Amino acid sequence: MTNDLEADVLICGAGAAGLTLAIDLARRGVSFRLVEKTSEPFPGSRGKGIQPRTQEVFEDLGILDKVVAAGGVYPMMRDYRDDGSFIVKEFGERSEATPAEPYHIPLMIPQFLTEKIMRDRLSELGRRVEFGCELTGFEQDGHGVTAHLSRSTGEETIRVRYLVGADGGRSFVRHALGITFPGKTLGVRAIVADAALTGLDRDVWWQFNSGDMQRMIAICPLGGTALFQVQAPVPPEGEVDLSAEGLEQLIAERTGRSDVKVQAVSWASAYAMNARLADSYRAGRIFLTGDAAHIHPPTGGQGLNTSVQDAYNLGWKLAAVLRGAGDELLDSYEVERRPVAEEVLGLSSRLLDAGKRGELRRGREVHQLDIGYPQSPFALEPVSRRHGLRAGDRAPDAPVKGAAGQPSRLFRLFVGPHWTLLVNGQRGVASRPGLHIHHLGERGDVVDAFGCVRDAYGLAPDECLLIRPDGYVGAILTLDAEGSAQLETYLDLVGLPSCGEGSK
């Protein structure tokens, strides 16, 4: 390790992925710089859906309540037929909240509002985005990365331990590394625009000509704003008029209505839909995350969510390795997250095909609550445990009470950058920095007053469950001599140093 380091981590790109990583590193006390080549924040609504699993992540990062307050739930969809009649339907499956899954429906909030909330959270933690600062080159060696930055005031060269490319689908970092981005163009070109318009009520999501890719158009009121998002397929070639006049004409042509008037367009884009996945997420000390690693059509509402969860997976691992954990922990980032992106690409493409037939309906599969890492090298459990919750699964929530009688939830115990150990019984476990230990049972500090922990976790007597900082189960072990030794080895491996104290 050299002594000329400017920071531990350089994050290139201040979209949802880069901001998630920055917030997580900031609360862990990791030094970093977050640079963004554009001079101003992204102004559009593009990634407007926040799935239930991402809501859990946002709760941990301290921004969920602000996201909910700024946005809202998806409205009902009014789907018009050619004869002018319509049906009103749910855009997606609306399930009920359960003790294990407290967030059960997607939220709608324009991406620019989500990212503003994230920047405000970063500011609370004493950090900021460096806008107008572009990464122009880099070299790496066995000790770190030398990065070259450019801004209007001049050039700068800095030295960091790790570089993370969160710089979008056209990632400079990915191109510079020579990492291939195989996949395909899906033969659909579309527009998305944020517009102020009159003539349509804001209580429904308007859709016309579903299933007809030549005439389809959807106009959705954007929660937290006075704007509507306009989405429509367009011809694969040629110019597209994204002005207020052009959008108004397109709406009239595809809806048959002349009463919809577009006053202004605050942001608009025309794009070709692609499904692509980077061959590698890591090259030495350099990582890809978010759209730099995968892009796919928006039909599943998965893009921003998958990007956030990439960064959420990477953040605690970078911090742990900087604290002394083995480098193999960083290898697990790609092992865990690349298969998720591969599945998301397939899901989004299938939903796109369904949309072409007018059959698009989002179900539980888009909520991302079933994502897990059972094949991770950091998923440890006894071979004999073949039932219920498994290592690598998402750790469920559950209502509990503290020993003093006050109501709480498991997720409240998990909030923060630490690991959590739930012990069913009074077996002693040595404390370590960064590990919060809670005992369930008669004399425990956590009381399973409603039986929800039992139902969700199925812990046997003297069994313990180790929950990672990102809310996934790392290990399930029995605290006998063998299990206790396995737990100690695991904690050493992930960089939780022993205090040198014995068990209590």
Side-chain angles (χ1 to χ4, degrees):
M1 186 173 65
T2 60
N3 59 5
D4 58 348
L5 292 166
E6 169 79 15
D8 288 320
V9 182
L10 174 64
I11 307 168
C12 178
L19 287 165
T20 299
L21 182 58
I23 292 169
D24 200 26
L25 295 181
R27 66 179 183 160
R28 296 174 187 281
V30 174
S31 64
F32 66 89
R33 289 180 63 177
L34 172 58
V35 300
E36 168 57 52
K37 70 178 182 180
T38 62
S39 59
E40 296 179 345
F42 174 69
S45 66
R46 187 165 48 206
K48 67 180 184 296
I50 308 297
Q51 300 295 346
R53 175 55 189 157
T54 303
Q55 293 170 45
E56 296 177 355
V57 174
F58 283 178
E59 180 178 18
D60 181 44
L61 297 180
I63 61 173
L64 178 61
D65 288 333
K66 287 185 170 60
V67 169
V68 174
V73 298
Y74 277 76
M76 300 289 284
M77 177 173 282
R78 185 180 292 180
D79 193 355
Y80 280 82
R81 301 186 176 96
D82 286 339
D83 62 4
S85 65
F86 62 84
I87 59 172
V88 177
K89 60 184 181 181
E90 297 277 8
F91 183 66
E93 177 183 288
R94 294 217 179 196
S95 57
E96 294 297 320
T98 68
E101 297 177 354
Y103 309 116
H104 57 293
I105 56 175
L107 297 173
M108 184 207 290
I109 175 174
Q111 184 171 337
F112 67 85
L113 287 182
T114 300
E115 291 182 0
K116 181 183 184 306
I117 291 168
M118 298 176 87
R119 289 193 301 274
D120 288 346
R121 176 62 176 142
L122 189 61
S123 180
E124 290 175 356
L125 295 167
R127 309 308 300 268
R128 65 179 182 86
V129 180
E130 299 179 47
F131 286 104
C133 185
E134 183 176 3
L135 177 68
T136 58
F138 55 83
E139 305 88 35
Q140 66 172 314
D141 55 42
H143 299 291
V145 180
T146 301
H148 308 287
L149 305 176
S150 175
R151 62 178 87 223
S152 59
T153 55
E155 311 293 321
E156 180 184 7
T157 297
I158 66 170
R159 181 82 172 157
V160 295
R161 295 183 186 177
Y162 296 100
L163 166 65
V164 178
D167 51 342
R170 298 178 180 177
S171 170
F172 168 78
V173 175
R174 188 187 65 243
H175 281 291
L177 289 170
I179 293 176
T180 54
F181 203 39
K184 59 183 179 180
T185 299
L186 299 173
V188 177
R189 186 178 179 222
I191 64 159
V192 58
D194 300 342
L197 57 83
T198 59
L200 297 176
D201 293 335
R202 295 187 59 83
D203 56 348
V204 296
W205 183 337
W206 303 79
Q207 180 157 298
F208 301 85
N209 309 311
S210 59
D212 183 345
M213 296 301 283
Q214 303 302 314
R215 300 188 301 131
M216 183 187 303
I217 191 167
I219 308 172
C220 179
L222 285 170
T225 78
L227 301 171
F228 286 80
Q229 185 190 71
V230 181
Q231 295 176 296
V234 294
E237 303 293 339
E239 292 296 318
V240 182
D241 186 352
L242 296 176
S243 67
E245 294 78 11
L247 282 181
E248 188 172 302
Q249 181 179 348
L250 180 67
I251 291 170
E253 290 172 352
R254 298 198 181 186
T255 66
R257 298 179 59 156
S258 60
D259 59 329
V260 180
K261 303 299 181 182
V262 178
Q263 276 80 42
V265 178
S266 65
W267 171 80
S269 176
Y271 64 99
M273 294 188 191
N274 284 268
R276 299 186 181 277
L277 178 62
D279 273 338
S280 176
Y281 280 25
R282 180 183 188 186
R285 291 178 168 268
I286 304 171
F287 299 84
L288 301 178
T289 194
D291 287 354
H294 46 75
I295 54 172
H296 41 82
T299 39
Q302 304 288 282
L304 180 146
N305 297 273
T306 304
S307 297
V308 164
Q309 292 172 50
D310 283 349
Y312 191 57
N313 183 287
L314 179 60
W316 69 267
K317 294 175 180 178
L318 282 169
V321 171
L322 287 165
R323 192 175 56 237
D327 187 71
E328 60 270 23
L329 186 60
L330 290 175
D331 287 334
S332 74
Y333 166 61
E334 179 175 327
V335 171
E336 293 179 357
R337 291 303 299 172
R338 193 173 183 277
V340 171
E342 195 167 20
E343 177 57 34
V344 165
L345 262 64
L347 170 63
S348 299
S349 298
R350 291 193 299 273
L351 290 172
L352 176 63
D353 290 339
K356 292 177 182 178
R357 301 189 299 270
E359 301 170 358
L360 176 60
R361 184 174 175 81
R362 298 175 179 177
R364 180 182 172 85
E365 71 277 7
V366 305
H367 291 178
Q368 301 195 339
L369 292 167
D370 299 320
I371 289 172
Y373 312 124
Q375 303 307 315
S376 171
F378 290 90
L380 175 65
E381 67 181 48
V383 174
S384 60
R385 195 177 211 271
R386 296 299 185 193
H387 64 281
L389 197 70
R390 303 292 304 273
D393 288 347
R394 164 193 165 274
D397 196 8
V400 296
K401 288 186 176 181
Q406 296 302 309
S408 188
R409 301 160 51 214
L410 287 186
F411 276 10
R412 289 186 187 170
L413 304 184
F414 301 165
V415 165
H418 57 269
W419 291 72
T420 304
L421 185 70
L422 294 179
V423 181
N424 189 19
Q426 294 305 305
R427 288 273 187 154
V429 178
S431 60
R432 295 184 180 219
L435 177 65
H436 291 194
I437 303 171
H438 298 283
H439 292 271
L440 296 159
E442 252 181 59
R443 297 175 57 201
D445 60 297
V446 176
V447 180
D448 186 17
F450 312 99
C452 296
V453 180
R454 177 198 61 221
D455 294 343
Y457 287 85
L459 289 173
D462 291 331
E463 202 167 40
C464 73
L465 186 140
L466 183 65
I467 298 154
R468 304 176 355 172
D470 58 356
Y472 287 88
V473 178
I476 306 174
L477 296 164
T478 301
L479 289 175
D480 53 18
E482 180 182 0
S484 295
Q486 289 178 313
L487 176 62
E488 296 298 313
T489 299
Y490 188 102
L491 294 174
D492 289 339
L493 192 63
V494 297
L496 293 179
S498 173
C499 288
E501 297 177 359
S503 299
K504 295 181 180 180

